[in-house]
Amino acid sequence: VLSGYSQGAAVAAVASLVLADLNPRLIAFGMPRTVLPDCPLVDSDRWLRFANSAAGSVIGITYDPVPFTPGLGAIHYGHLVILSEDSTGVAYVGLDEQHDFHPIEILPPGLPPIVNPQPTNFLRAPTHLLNGEGGNNEGYLFRLQQLLKFDEYPVRSTGYHDGYHCSDDVECMSGRCRGSRFPVLKMFRNKCVS
C-alpha cells in the first residue's frame, strides 16, 4: 500500500507505476492530476483518492483546489471520494471520474503565503490542509477522525444526508442537490434535499 498527501500523493502515484509489477494499492489525499491519459501501468481499481470540501457561510460549499485544478494534460485515475462536513459518510463519485467540483477554495489577499508571494495560495486553503490549523475543522485528518468517531463500518459512501452543502447531485444520498433558482448561482448555498 502506497499513500500520500498533496505532492506526496503524486509521488506515491508515480511510485505505484514504477512498482506496477507488485500490484500496489494507492490511497491518496488531495492529489493533483499526475498521470497522462492512457497510461497502461495504471490499475485504476486499486487507486483510492480523497478530495476534501468545506461548508462556508457565504458561498455554501468549497472544495480543495489541488485535486480540481487543471493538470497540464494529466488526468485523474481511481475511485474518487469526497469528504465533507457530514461525519456520517462520504460521497463516492466514481471510477476515473474527471468531474471538476466547484467552487474551489482560494484564500483572500493579505493572508500569509507559505510557498510563493502570490496573494492566492492554494496550498494554504483550509480544505487542502492535512491538519486543521487554528481551530479549523476542515483538514483531511479531522474529516477522517470524525468518520471513525461515528463508529459505523463500513463507512457509508452513498452521499450526504439532507441539509448538508453540495454542488452536484452525486454528492447527495437523495441524488438531489438544490438551492438557488437562478442557474448562474447554482453553486451557491446548495444543500442535499429529498
Side-chain angles (χ1 to χ4, degrees), residues 162-178:
D162 286 356
Y164 285 98
H165 289 90
C166 58
S167 71
D168 194 285
D169 292 341
V170 72
E171 295 174 281
C172 303
M173 285 178 62
S174 65
R176 292 174 39 103
C177 177
R178 300 293 183 267

Side-chain angles (χ1 to χ4, degrees), residues 36-174:
L36 294 175
D38 303 319
C39 179
L41 298 174
V42 174
D43 184 352
S44 290
D45 203 42
R46 297 183 65 83
W47 286 27
L48 179 62
R49 58 190 179 92
F50 291 90
N52 201 4
S53 69
S57 59
V58 176
I59 294 177
I61 193 167
T62 57
Y63 298 89
D64 179 349
V66 173
F68 302 117
T69 300
L72 302 175
I75 65 169
H76 286 302
Y77 289 97
H79 298 276
L80 173 59
V81 175
I82 305 283
L83 302 170
S84 81
E85 62 184 323
D86 183 353
S87 62
T88 66
V90 298
Y92 173 73
V93 178
L95 182 64
D96 295 343
E97 179 59 51
Q98 302 304 313
H99 185 85
D100 287 331
F101 286 86
H102 292 285
I104 58 173
E105 182 170 38
I106 56 174
L107 296 177
L111 294 179
I114 60 170
V115 175
N116 60 46
Q118 300 299 321
T120 300
N121 186 339
F122 287 172
L123 300 179
R124 300 263 315 158
T127 53
H128 185 66
L129 298 175
L130 184 59
N131 289 311
E133 292 180 4
N136 172 351
N137 293 330
E138 298 169 352
Y140 280 91
L141 288 178
F142 177 81
R143 296 282 194 223
L144 294 172
Q145 289 167 346
Q146 293 303 106
L147 288 168
L148 292 173
K149 283 182 185 177
F150 188 64
D151 204 24
E152 184 178 302
Y153 306 102
V155 172
R156 180 180 46 75
S157 61
T158 54
Y160 318 138
H161 285 291
D162 286 356
Y164 285 98
H165 289 90
C166 58
S167 71
D168 194 285
D169 292 341
V170 72
E171 295 174 281
C172 303
M173 285 178 62
S174 65

